[in-house]
Amino acid sequence: MSLVLDEVTLTYPDGEGRLTALDGVGLDVPAGSLTAVVGPSGSGKSSLLAVAATLVGPDRGRVLVGGTDTGTLSPAEKSALRRERIGIVFQQPNLLPSLTCAEQLQVMAHVSGRPSRQVKARALELLAAVGLTDKADRRPHQLSGGQRQRVNIARALMNDPAVLLVDEPTSALDHERGAAVLDLLVALTRERSTATVLVTHDRAHLDRMDRTVSMADGRLTAGVAA
């Protein structure tokens, strides 16, 4: 299931005028591939993720998830789409301090109404996929920064999303742990056939991506600016 942004324009109120956050953005991310979006702060990267996640509707253009034009969906239908088909990995894990790793994931599935008997097995499967089998009963304060980010990734995958949106996953990690997290995202994208978009400031690991695009002033260009 692919993710397509088709000539997407997004503006925000700015005094008496409008500020253009996205300017005719076009992006096609096939299933099983990872596209990195790089660019300076304020270039529109966060707005791109918000529109792709259907959290914000564009002024013009279309966002298609698996061929479905999300602009035709009701608010309730968009909410269901996010729960069931879109995984979001936030920059900060924001794990609940009182819950174990397994419980962090199980909460996501319970929100979607999945049968309880399936939830724990799914959580343990995903923790194994991110290399945290032996940490299932640990709480966030017992984990390293890289391990918390891995839980964050596993949590986003709990409902088997078709689209995975990742916001600066290595920003709080050193080079070695950041590389490990990106290797994990690449592997999971392949294994689970997600259409993955990764927003990053870190250009050190872009050789791992299927495609890299640059964003500046709300516009996308192919390749990486020098």
Side-chain angles (χ1 to χ4, degrees):
M1 187 177 287
S2 64
L3 169 69
V4 176
L5 275 65
D6 179 22
E7 292 298 313
V8 168
T9 294
L10 175 68
T11 65
Y12 293 112
D14 183 32
E16 295 182 356
R18 306 282 297 183
L19 176 67
T20 300
L22 299 175
D23 188 1
V25 167
L27 185 65
D28 188 344
V29 186
S33 71
L34 196 157
T35 294
V37 182
V38 299
S41 297
S43 61
K45 301 189 306 297
S46 294
S47 294
L48 184 149
L49 284 187
V51 168
T54 74
L55 294 169
V56 177
D59 295 40
R60 293 187 298 279
R62 301 183 301 161
V63 177
L64 297 97
V65 175
T68 298
D69 183 351
T70 61
T72 67
L73 303 180
S74 69
E77 289 170 332
K78 286 182 182 179
S79 181
L81 181 72
R82 285 192 295 273
R83 285 196 310 270
E84 298 167 7
R85 308 308 295 156
I86 300 175
I88 305 173
V89 179
F90 296 101
Q91 184 172 347
Q92 298 298 326
N94 294 322
L95 302 177
L96 298 170
S98 62
L99 299 185
T100 66
C101 292
E103 290 167 345
Q104 308 281 346
L105 275 62
Q106 291 176 66
V107 165
M108 293 297 296
H110 287 310
V111 168
S112 296
R114 295 183 69 166
S116 297
R117 65 182 178 277
Q118 298 176 2
V119 169
K120 186 172 183 180
R122 172 70 172 165
L124 294 177
E125 174 197 339
L126 284 171
L127 288 174
V130 299
L132 292 176
T133 297
D134 60 340
K135 301 293 190 295
D137 295 325
R138 300 285 182 90
R139 288 177 168 78
H141 73 276
Q142 299 171 301
L143 304 174
S144 69
Q147 289 168 342
R148 286 193 291 272
Q149 191 60 281
R150 285 171 176 259
V151 175
N152 192 22
I153 293 166
R155 181 174 60 182
L157 293 168
M158 190 63 189
N159 291 327
D160 197 24
V163 172
L164 186 62
L165 306 173
V166 188
D167 186 13
E168 298 284 1
T170 64
S171 62
L173 304 178
D174 61 28
H175 181 84
E176 181 178 354
R177 289 184 175 87
V181 165
L182 288 180
D183 283 342
L184 173 63
L185 284 167
V186 171
L188 290 171
T189 295
R190 303 281 189 274
E191 292 167 8
R192 297 175 185 275
S193 198
T194 59
T196 301
V197 177
L198 167 70
V199 160
T200 183
H201 283 94
D202 185 357
R203 300 181 180 225
H205 309 294
L206 296 181
D207 59 331
R208 293 172 167 83
M209 307 296 110
D210 294 301
R211 181 187 179 199
T212 299
V213 295
S214 296
M215 176 157 269
D217 299 323
R219 295 179 179 142
L220 280 184
T221 56
V224 183

